[in-house]
């Protein structure tokens, strides 16, 4: 009888742990940050490692994909322009593995003929469109609460092949990642869904295939 009760207790703990593990990710962010807004200028201790890459044609895209492939739990994306099929494919692969991936795009990405907004929407990504700024010029990914991808590099084919750009992969710096997440969540709260944006602007909501066409 005692062994049965012990087993039941263990099962109960596992079940409780599963509930907490599956707590809505955005609720966790809201509990952490509330509606404080974007963080003020902050000095962060230099910890972890920094990997740097440059373009054109010098490995920036592959460096970003390598960092995406390291993700185990979450990827938060901020993008002004997003046309890189290779980076999109890397995000899709992680989504299929069950990772929490959320994306904020600039409003220009909705109205392009073959837009990244349509592509990500058709593949079921949780995505919002920024409407509060003249342009949403961030080029950022936050991975597993500890890695930050940032720099001038848009997630585009042109940034890889034609432009002079730079990208930093800052790994194992949770304090820095927390600040970037706070800013990301503030912008997420201000953004709206793609369908809501298109309805407000009088556009027809387009449904396409996995290629965004």
């Amino acid at each position: 009888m005692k062994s049965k009760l012990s087993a039941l207790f263990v099962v109960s703990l596992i079940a409780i742990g599963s509930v907490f593990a599956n707590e809505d990710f955005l609720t966790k962010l809201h509990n952490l940050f509330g509606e404080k807004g974007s963080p003020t200028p902050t000095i962060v201790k230099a910890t972890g490692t920094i990997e740097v890459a440059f373009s054109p044609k010098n490995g920036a895209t592959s460096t970003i994909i390598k960092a995406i492939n390291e993700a185990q739990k979450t990827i938060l994306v901020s993008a002004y322009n997003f046309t890189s099929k290779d980076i999109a494919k890397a995000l899709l692969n992680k989504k299929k593995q069950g990772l929490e991936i959320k994306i904020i795009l600039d409003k220009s990405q909705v109205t392009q003929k073959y837009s990244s907004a349509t592509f990500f929407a058709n593949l079921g990504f949780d995505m919002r469109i920024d409407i509060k700024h003249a342009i949403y010029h961030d080029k950022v990914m936050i991975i597993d609460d500890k890695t930050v991808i940032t720099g001038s590099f848009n997630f585009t084919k042109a940034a890889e092949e034609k432009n002079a750009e730079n990208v930093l992969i800052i790994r194992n710096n949770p304090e820095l990642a927390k600040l970037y997440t706070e800013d990301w969540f503030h912008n997420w709260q201000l953004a709206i869904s793609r369908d809501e944006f298109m309805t407000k602007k009088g556009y027809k909501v387009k449904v396409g295939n996995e290629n965004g066409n």
Side-chain angles (χ1 to χ4, degrees), residues 8-22:
L8 181 61
F9 178 69
V10 170
V11 170
S12 298
L13 285 179
I14 293 173
I16 292 171
S18 298
V19 169
F20 283 109
N22 293 326

Side-chain angles (χ1 to χ4, degrees), residues 84-151:
S84 172
K85 292 183 179 179
D86 291 335
I87 296 176
K89 182 179 178 181
L91 290 174
L92 178 60
N93 288 340
K94 284 297 178 179
K95 181 179 182 297
K96 289 178 177 178
Q97 293 172 21
L99 273 69
E100 189 89 46
I101 301 176
K102 298 188 182 298
I103 303 170
I104 307 173
L105 296 176
D106 182 69
K107 52 186 172 289
S108 65
Q109 297 302 286
V110 179
T111 55
Q112 291 184 2
K113 184 177 181 182
Y114 301 113
S115 76
S116 56
T118 300
F119 174 84
F120 286 124
N122 290 341
L123 292 173
F125 281 88
D126 195 1
M127 176 188 65
R128 288 189 177 184
I129 306 300
D130 176 85
I131 61 169
K132 293 296 184 181
H133 305 96
I135 58 174
Y136 187 64
H137 211 230
D138 284 346
K139 304 102 175 179
V140 170
M141 293 188 192
I142 307 139
I143 298 173
D144 291 346
D145 302 324
K146 62 182 181 179
T147 295
V148 174
I149 301 174
T150 189

Side-chain angles (χ1 to χ4, degrees), residues 53-205:
F54 303 95
S55 66
K57 299 180 180 179
N58 202 17
T61 294
S62 61
T63 300
I64 292 170
I65 291 172
K66 179 175 69 174
I68 292 172
N69 289 340
E70 293 168 358
Q72 299 295 316
K73 300 181 297 180
T74 59
I75 305 175
L76 306 179
V77 181
S78 293
Y80 170 63
N81 198 354
F82 203 133
T83 62
S84 172
K85 292 183 179 179
D86 291 335
I87 296 176
K89 182 179 178 181
L91 290 174
L92 178 60
N93 288 340
K94 284 297 178 179
K95 181 179 182 297
K96 289 178 177 178
Q97 293 172 21
L99 273 69
E100 189 89 46
I101 301 176
K102 298 188 182 298
I103 303 170
I104 307 173
L105 296 176
D106 182 69
K107 52 186 172 289
S108 65
Q109 297 302 286
V110 179
T111 55
Q112 291 184 2
K113 184 177 181 182
Y114 301 113
S115 76
S116 56
T118 300
F119 174 84
F120 286 124
N122 290 341
L123 292 173
F125 281 88
D126 195 1
M127 176 188 65
R128 288 189 177 184
I129 306 300
D130 176 85
I131 61 169
K132 293 296 184 181
H133 305 96
I135 58 174
Y136 187 64
H137 211 230
D138 284 346
K139 304 102 175 179
V140 170
M141 293 188 192
I142 307 139
I143 298 173
D144 291 346
D145 302 324
K146 62 182 181 179
T147 295
V148 174
I149 301 174
T150 189
S152 71
F153 190 91
N154 280 304
F155 307 126
T156 65
K157 183 177 180 181
E160 171 63 27
E161 298 183 356
K162 298 179 181 180
N163 301 344
E165 308 279 3
N166 67 84
V167 61
L168 295 174
I169 315 292
I170 307 164
R171 293 179 173 87
N172 296 315
N173 193 324
E175 185 181 0
L176 180 66
K178 183 178 179 181
L179 289 169
Y180 270 88
T181 301
E182 183 176 354
D183 180 68
W184 181 93
F185 184 61
H186 170 63
N187 289 316
W188 177 268
Q189 290 175 307
L190 298 176
I192 62 176
S193 72
R194 166 183 171 268
D195 288 355
E196 183 180 353
F197 176 85
M198 296 186 75
T199 300
K200 285 179 178 290
K201 295 296 182 180
Y203 296 116
K204 182 178 179 181
V205 178

